[in-house]
PDB file of all heavy atoms in Angstrom:
ATOM      1  N   GLY A 178       2.388  -7.416  13.514  1.00 98.00           N
ATOM      2  CA  GLY A 178       2.415  -8.337  14.679  1.00 98.00           C
ATOM      3  C   GLY A 178       1.675  -7.890  15.897  1.00 98.00           C
ATOM      4  O   GLY A 178       2.038  -8.069  17.049  1.00 98.00           O
ATOM      5  N   LEU A 179       0.545  -7.158  15.669  1.00 98.00           N
ATOM      6  CA  LEU A 179      -0.327  -6.715  16.728  1.00 98.00           C
ATOM      7  C   LEU A 179      -1.662  -7.333  16.447  1.00 98.00           C
ATOM      8  O   LEU A 179      -1.995  -7.808  15.316  1.00 98.00           O
ATOM      9  CB  LEU A 179      -0.389  -5.155  16.795  1.00 98.00           C
ATOM     10  CG  LEU A 179       0.989  -4.508  17.166  1.00 98.00           C
ATOM     11  CD1 LEU A 179       0.960  -3.104  16.781  1.00 98.00           C
ATOM     12  CD2 LEU A 179       1.308  -4.613  18.615  1.00 98.00           C
ATOM     13  N   ALA A 180      -2.594  -7.198  17.458  1.00 98.00           N
ATOM     14  CA  ALA A 180      -3.899  -7.896  17.373  1.00 98.00           C
ATOM     15  C   ALA A 180      -5.047  -6.821  17.214  1.00 98.00           C
ATOM     16  O   ALA A 180      -5.339  -6.197  18.164  1.00 98.00           O
ATOM     17  CB  ALA A 180      -4.139  -8.754  18.660  1.00 98.00           C
ATOM     18  N   PRO A 181      -5.676  -6.802  16.063  1.00 98.00           N
ATOM     19  CA  PRO A 181      -6.748  -5.887  15.914  1.00 98.00           C
ATOM     20  C   PRO A 181      -7.878  -6.260  16.822  1.00 98.00           C
ATOM     21  O   PRO A 181      -8.277  -7.432  16.875  1.00 98.00           O
ATOM     22  CB  PRO A 181      -7.105  -5.970  14.389  1.00 98.00           C
ATOM     23  CG  PRO A 181      -6.421  -7.186  13.999  1.00 98.00           C
ATOM     24  CD  PRO A 181      -5.386  -7.474  14.790  1.00 98.00           C
ATOM     25  N   GLN A 182      -8.547  -5.279  17.463  1.00 98.00           N
ATOM     26  CA  GLN A 182      -9.714  -5.551  18.321  1.00 98.00           C
ATOM     27  C   GLN A 182     -10.830  -4.673  17.769  1.00 98.00           C
ATOM     28  O   GLN A 182     -10.832  -3.453  17.983  1.00 98.00           O
ATOM     29  CB  GLN A 182      -9.516  -5.276  19.738  1.00 98.00           C
ATOM     30  CG  GLN A 182     -10.641  -5.579  20.626  1.00 98.00           C
ATOM     31  CD  GLN A 182     -10.519  -5.283  22.143  1.00 98.00           C
ATOM     32  OE1 GLN A 182      -9.638  -4.448  22.563  1.00 98.00           O
ATOM     33  NE2 GLN A 182     -11.114  -6.029  22.965  1.00 98.00           N
ATOM     34  N   ASP A 183     -11.790  -5.230  17.016  1.00 98.00           N
ATOM     35  CA  ASP A 183     -12.798  -4.483  16.366  1.00 98.00           C
ATOM     36  C   ASP A 183     -13.825  -4.059  17.420  1.00 98.00           C
ATOM     37  O   ASP A 183     -14.479  -4.866  18.038  1.00 98.00           O
ATOM     38  CB  ASP A 183     -13.498  -5.410  15.228  1.00 98.00           C
ATOM     39  CG  ASP A 183     -14.474  -4.561  14.420  1.00 98.00           C
ATOM     40  OD1 ASP A 183     -14.828  -3.377  14.784  1.00 98.00           O
ATOM     41  OD2 ASP A 183     -14.961  -5.134  13.431  1.00 98.00           O
ATOM     42  N   ILE A 184     -13.943  -2.718  17.596  1.00 98.00           N
ATOM     43  CA  ILE A 184     -14.861  -2.159  18.597  1.00 98.00           C
ATOM     44  C   ILE A 184     -16.149  -1.793  18.051  1.00 98.00           C
ATOM     45  O   ILE A 184     -17.163  -1.662  18.744  1.00 98.00           O
ATOM     46  CB  ILE A 184     -14.148  -1.009  19.308  1.00 98.00           C
ATOM     47  CG1 ILE A 184     -12.817  -1.268  19.871  1.00 98.00           C
ATOM     48  CG2 ILE A 184     -15.013  -0.359  20.366  1.00 98.00           C
ATOM     49  CD1 ILE A 184     -12.833  -2.292  21.046  1.00 98.00           C
ATOM     50  N   GLY A 185     -16.220  -1.624  16.751  1.00 97.00           N
ATOM     51  CA  GLY A 185     -17.533  -1.263  16.097  1.00 97.00           C
ATOM     52  C   GLY A 185     -17.518  -0.128  15.229  1.00 97.00           C
ATOM     53  O   GLY A 185     -16.528   0.100  14.451  1.00 97.00           O
ATOM     54  N   VAL A 186     -18.574   0.578  15.204  1.00 98.00           N
ATOM     55  CA  VAL A 186     -18.733   1.832  14.272  1.00 98.00           C
ATOM     56  C   VAL A 186     -17.937   3.020  14.925  1.00 98.00           C
ATOM     57  O   VAL A 186     -17.392   2.894  16.065  1.00 98.00           O
ATOM     58  CB  VAL A 186     -20.213   2.179  14.053  1.00 98.00           C
ATOM     59  CG1 VAL A 186     -20.877   1.126  13.266  1.00 98.00           C
ATOM     60  CG2 VAL A 186     -20.820   2.552  15.401  1.00 98.00           C
ATOM     61  N   LEU A 187     -17.762   4.065  14.116  1.00 97.00           N
ATOM     62  CA  LEU A 187     -16.955   5.131  14.525  1.00 97.00           C
ATOM     63  C   LEU A 187     -17.355   5.772  15.903  1.00 97.00           C
ATOM     64  O   LEU A 187     -16.574   6.105  16.736  1.00 97.00           O
ATOM     65  CB  LEU A 187     -16.951   6.328  13.519  1.00 97.00           C
ATOM     66  CG  LEU A 187     -15.773   7.177  13.541  1.00 97.00           C
ATOM     67  CD1 LEU A 187     -14.450   6.435  13.211  1.00 97.00           C
ATOM     68  CD2 LEU A 187     -15.936   8.334  12.445  1.00 97.00           C
ATOM     69  N   ALA A 188     -18.699   5.769  16.150  1.00 96.00           N
ATOM     70  CA  ALA A 188     -19.200   6.322  17.398  1.00 96.00           C
ATOM     71  C   ALA A 188     -18.720   5.479  18.583  1.00 96.00           C
ATOM     72  O   ALA A 188     -18.636   5.972  19.732  1.00 96.00           O
ATOM     73  CB  ALA A 188     -20.638   6.465  17.338  1.00 96.00           C
ATOM     74  N   ASP A 189     -18.365   4.186  18.354  1.00 96.00           N
ATOM     75  CA  ASP A 189     -17.925   3.422  19.449  1.00 96.00           C
ATOM     76  C   ASP A 189     -16.479   3.746  19.908  1.00 96.00           C
ATOM     77  O   ASP A 189     -15.994   3.151  20.824  1.00 96.00           O
ATOM     78  CB  ASP A 189     -17.990   1.810  19.105  1.00 96.00           C
ATOM     79  CG  ASP A 189     -19.408   1.423  18.910  1.00 96.00           C
ATOM     80  OD1 ASP A 189     -20.284   1.858  19.689  1.00 96.00           O
ATOM     81  OD2 ASP A 189     -19.622   0.608  17.931  1.00 96.00           O
ATOM     82  N   GLY A 190     -15.930   4.672  19.156  1.00 95.00           N
ATOM     83  CA  GLY A 190     -14.556   5.138  19.520  1.00 95.00           C
ATOM     84  C   GLY A 190     -14.588   5.639  20.982  1.00 95.00           C
ATOM     85  O   GLY A 190     -13.518   5.648  21.637  1.00 95.00           O
ATOM     86  N   ILE A 191     -15.680   6.044  21.467  1.00 94.00           N
ATOM     87  CA  ILE A 191     -15.873   6.541  22.865  1.00 94.00           C
ATOM     88  C   ILE A 191     -15.276   5.488  23.891  1.00 94.00           C
ATOM     89  O   ILE A 191     -14.837   5.873  24.981  1.00 94.00           O
ATOM     90  CB  ILE A 191     -17.334   6.972  23.168  1.00 94.00           C
ATOM     91  CG1 ILE A 191     -17.355   7.819  24.390  1.00 94.00           C
ATOM     92  CG2 ILE A 191     -18.204   5.740  23.248  1.00 94.00           C
ATOM     93  CD1 ILE A 191     -17.043   9.221  24.068  1.00 94.00           C
ATOM     94  N   LEU A 192     -15.305   4.227  23.466  1.00 95.00           N
ATOM     95  CA  LEU A 192     -14.908   3.130  24.427  1.00 95.00           C
ATOM     96  C   LEU A 192     -13.397   3.133  24.615  1.00 95.00           C
ATOM     97  O   LEU A 192     -12.796   2.384  25.449  1.00 95.00           O
ATOM     98  CB  LEU A 192     -15.407   1.786  23.919  1.00 95.00           C
ATOM     99  CG  LEU A 192     -16.915   1.615  23.884  1.00 95.00           C
ATOM    100  CD1 LEU A 192     -17.346   0.313  23.346  1.00 95.00           C
ATOM    101  CD2 LEU A 192     -17.463   1.734  25.424  1.00 95.00           C
ATOM    102  N   PHE A 193     -12.575   3.769  23.609  1.00 96.00           N
ATOM    103  CA  PHE A 193     -11.210   3.777  23.823  1.00 96.00           C
ATOM    104  C   PHE A 193     -10.488   5.157  23.645  1.00 96.00           C
ATOM    105  O   PHE A 193      -9.371   5.270  23.238  1.00 96.00           O
ATOM    106  CB  PHE A 193     -10.451   2.629  23.003  1.00 96.00           C
ATOM    107  CG  PHE A 193     -10.712   2.717  21.486  1.00 96.00           C
ATOM    108  CD1 PHE A 193      -9.724   3.162  20.599  1.00 96.00           C
ATOM    109  CD2 PHE A 193     -11.917   2.299  20.871  1.00 96.00           C
ATOM    110  CE1 PHE A 193      -9.898   3.195  19.296  1.00 96.00           C
ATOM    111  CE2 PHE A 193     -12.071   2.327  19.517  1.00 96.00           C
ATOM    112  CZ  PHE A 193     -11.126   2.714  18.726  1.00 96.00           C
ATOM    113  N   GLU A 194     -11.362   6.144  23.996  1.00 95.00           N
ATOM    114  CA  GLU A 194     -10.816   7.469  24.082  1.00 95.00           C
ATOM    115  C   GLU A 194     -10.326   7.771  25.480  1.00 95.00           C
ATOM    116  O   GLU A 194     -10.609   7.024  26.393  1.00 95.00           O
ATOM    117  CB  GLU A 194     -11.897   8.535  23.599  1.00 95.00           C
ATOM    118  CG  GLU A 194     -12.099   8.431  22.121  1.00 95.00           C
ATOM    119  CD  GLU A 194     -13.111   9.409  21.401  1.00 95.00           C
ATOM    120  OE1 GLU A 194     -13.687  10.067  22.124  1.00 95.00           O
ATOM    121  OE2 GLU A 194     -13.116   9.460  20.217  1.00 95.00           O
ATOM    122  N   PRO A 195      -9.573   8.895  25.661  1.00 95.00           N
ATOM    123  CA  PRO A 195      -8.965   9.080  27.003  1.00 95.00           C
ATOM    124  C   PRO A 195     -10.120   9.033  28.083  1.00 95.00           C
ATOM    125  O   PRO A 195     -11.096   9.524  28.065  1.00 95.00           O
ATOM    126  CB  PRO A 195      -8.376  10.514  26.878  1.00 95.00           C
ATOM    127  CG  PRO A 195      -8.049  10.660  25.447  1.00 95.00           C
ATOM    128  CD  PRO A 195      -9.095   9.892  24.725  1.00 95.00           C
ATOM    129  N   GLY A 196      -9.689   8.272  29.190  1.00 92.00           N
ATOM    130  CA  GLY A 196     -10.576   8.111  30.333  1.00 92.00           C
ATOM    131  C   GLY A 196     -11.463   6.886  30.199  1.00 92.00           C
ATOM    132  O   GLY A 196     -11.968   6.445  31.212  1.00 92.00           O
ATOM    133  N   ALA A 197     -11.587   6.263  28.992  1.00 94.00           N
ATOM    134  CA  ALA A 197     -12.460   5.124  28.821  1.00 94.00           C
ATOM    135  C   ALA A 197     -11.715   3.860  29.312  1.00 94.00           C
ATOM    136  O   ALA A 197     -10.480   3.782  29.376  1.00 94.00           O
ATOM    137  CB  ALA A 197     -12.758   5.007  27.368  1.00 94.00           C
ATOM    138  N   PRO A 198     -12.534   2.791  29.565  1.00 93.00           N
ATOM    139  CA  PRO A 198     -11.943   1.590  30.115  1.00 93.00           C
ATOM    140  C   PRO A 198     -10.967   0.906  29.253  1.00 93.00           C
ATOM    141  O   PRO A 198      -9.999   0.313  29.837  1.00 93.00           O
ATOM    142  CB  PRO A 198     -13.138   0.651  30.309  1.00 93.00           C
ATOM    143  CG  PRO A 198     -14.390   1.564  30.237  1.00 93.00           C
ATOM    144  CD  PRO A 198     -14.015   2.741  29.484  1.00 93.00           C
ATOM    145  N   LEU A 199     -11.036   1.030  27.990  1.00 96.00           N
ATOM    146  CA  LEU A 199     -10.047   0.455  27.149  1.00 96.00           C
ATOM    147  C   LEU A 199      -8.830   1.349  26.728  1.00 96.00           C
ATOM    148  O   LEU A 199      -7.975   0.925  25.987  1.00 96.00           O
ATOM    149  CB  LEU A 199     -10.565  -0.186  25.895  1.00 96.00           C
ATOM    150  CG  LEU A 199     -11.377  -1.504  25.918  1.00 96.00           C
ATOM    151  CD1 LEU A 199     -12.145  -1.810  24.780  1.00 96.00           C
ATOM    152  CD2 LEU A 199     -10.247  -2.616  26.142  1.00 96.00           C
ATOM    153  N   TYR A 200      -8.844   2.481  27.286  1.00 96.00           N
ATOM    154  CA  TYR A 200      -7.849   3.524  26.818  1.00 96.00           C
ATOM    155  C   TYR A 200      -6.451   3.229  27.366  1.00 96.00           C
ATOM    156  O   TYR A 200      -6.333   3.098  28.542  1.00 96.00           O
ATOM    157  CB  TYR A 200      -8.283   5.011  27.088  1.00 96.00           C
ATOM    158  CG  TYR A 200      -7.226   5.988  26.757  1.00 96.00           C
ATOM    159  CD1 TYR A 200      -7.016   6.213  25.251  1.00 96.00           C
ATOM    160  CD2 TYR A 200      -6.513   6.721  27.655  1.00 96.00           C
ATOM    161  CE1 TYR A 200      -6.108   7.072  24.948  1.00 96.00           C
ATOM    162  CE2 TYR A 200      -5.567   7.648  27.198  1.00 96.00           C
ATOM    163  CZ  TYR A 200      -5.417   7.858  25.848  1.00 96.00           C
ATOM    164  OH  TYR A 200      -4.440   8.790  25.400  1.00 96.00           O
ATOM    165  N   ASN A 201      -5.459   3.156  26.458  1.00 96.00           N
ATOM    166  CA  ASN A 201      -4.073   3.098  26.906  1.00 96.00           C
ATOM    167  C   ASN A 201      -3.793   1.934  27.825  1.00 96.00           C
ATOM    168  O   ASN A 201      -2.931   2.163  28.776  1.00 96.00           O
ATOM    169  CB  ASN A 201      -3.589   4.417  27.447  1.00 96.00           C
ATOM    170  CG  ASN A 201      -2.079   4.590  27.407  1.00 96.00           C
ATOM    171  OD1 ASN A 201      -1.486   3.976  26.678  1.00 96.00           O
ATOM    172  ND2 ASN A 201      -1.603   5.501  28.319  1.00 96.00           N
TER     173      ASN A 201
END
Side-chain angles (χ1 to χ4, degrees):
L179 295 161
Q182 183 179 25
D183 187 351
I184 303 295
V186 295
L187 204 62
D189 293 322
I191 197 77
L192 294 175
F193 57 104
E194 289 185 350
L199 277 167
Y200 180 66
N201 201 22

